[in-house]
Amino acid sequence: MEEKIDRQKAWDALCKYNKSDALRKHGLAVEGAMRYFAKIYNEDEDVWGIIGLLHDIDYEMYPDEHCAKSQEIMKEEEFPDSYIRAVASHGYGIVNEIKPESNAEKVLYTIDELTGLIGATALMRPSKSVMDLEVKSVKKKFKTKGFAAGVDRNVILNGCNMIDMELDKVIENTILGMRTVAEDIGL
């Protein structure tokens, strides 16, 4: 994943295919978390961030072709194959069989759903913010199956195994990553 892409190009592409403020903010949340994890892995924050930003590029317009249509769109928008594969791999075992292999792919697979759970947990707090959110609050909501019921906890747990990191540490790092973009995502 050596090739660099201008972040503005990625943002413009995301906005072209996603008019929903919620989906754009989700992309920003995942971007923030991916950049944070890239530091932990001592890898390129810009590459990881753009992969996170673009991961749901097809979701608004093509929800039934999620992760398949993203490959077509990203090819058309002239993104490198490594970015396209990384984005597609977050659908592993859900909508495709593209197994996450690189660190960036494994982390994206792990944290995508988790950012949604963290966001929903933050909104339940008086502050409605990730800035004062603690791991134990997210963990409690994680165990409550009816809360944010659309979040697949098994994907998160499978991802934790893939990256060989305890759930608490993954939650902590994802919160810290989301804090870096808290203003942009309204949390």
Side-chain angles (χ1 to χ4, degrees):
M1 287 192 209
E2 302 84 36
E3 193 171 344
K4 289 275 204 162
I5 293 296
D6 178 63
R7 187 189 180 279
Q8 188 62 49
K9 174 185 174 162
W11 177 251
D12 291 346
L14 178 71
C15 293
K16 179 177 174 181
Y17 293 94
N18 289 274
K19 305 304 179 201
S20 159
D21 191 48
L23 280 172
R24 289 177 181 182
K25 284 181 178 177
H26 175 63
L28 291 168
V30 174
E31 176 188 19
M34 287 292 288
R35 287 178 180 278
Y36 191 85
F37 274 91
K39 288 181 201 168
I40 293 169
Y41 283 86
N42 199 27
E43 293 199 31
D44 193 311
E45 292 174 50
D46 292 329
V47 172
W48 282 45
I50 287 171
I51 289 166
L53 184 65
L54 292 174
H55 81 283
D56 279 347
I57 192 168
D58 63 351
Y59 195 77
E60 183 174 304
M61 293 175 74
Y62 308 100
D64 296 334
E65 299 173 73
H66 183 44
C67 293
K69 203 67 176 176
S70 66
Q71 294 173 73
E72 291 175 33
I73 291 168
M74 290 178 72
K75 256 189 198 19
E76 192 176 295
E77 297 288 335
E78 299 180 349
F79 286 100
D81 289 343
S82 59
Y83 288 63
I84 295 168
R85 187 194 192 291
V87 164
S89 74
H90 88 278
Y92 176 66
I94 306 161
V95 296
N96 67 39
E97 292 305 315
I98 300 171
K99 187 174 183 176
E101 293 174 358
S102 71
N103 289 331
E105 291 171 354
K106 291 175 184 178
V107 169
L108 175 62
Y109 174 84
T110 306
I111 65 154
D112 176 27
E113 299 269 322
L114 183 57
T115 61
L117 182 70
I118 290 170
T121 304
L123 290 173
M124 298 299 294
R125 302 179 62 70
S127 67
K128 299 198 182 314
S129 174
V130 291
M131 298 310 285
D132 61 354
L133 185 61
E134 295 179 14
V135 171
K136 65 181 181 184
S137 300
V138 176
K139 193 91 178 274
K140 185 176 178 183
K141 296 295 187 187
F142 186 91
K143 293 176 183 173
T144 308
K145 300 297 181 211
F147 181 80
V151 172
D152 189 335
R153 274 87 166 152
N154 288 326
V155 168
I156 298 167
L157 293 171
N158 290 340
C160 289
N161 288 330
M162 269 186 207
I163 63 174
D164 196 26
M165 191 178 287
E166 294 291 325
L167 177 62
D168 286 17
K169 195 68 182 166
V170 172
I171 292 170
E172 177 187 351
N173 289 329
T174 304
I175 291 170
L176 292 172
M178 289 174 69
R179 284 181 182 170
T180 66
V181 293
E183 192 174 317
D184 295 332
I185 62 174
L187 294 175

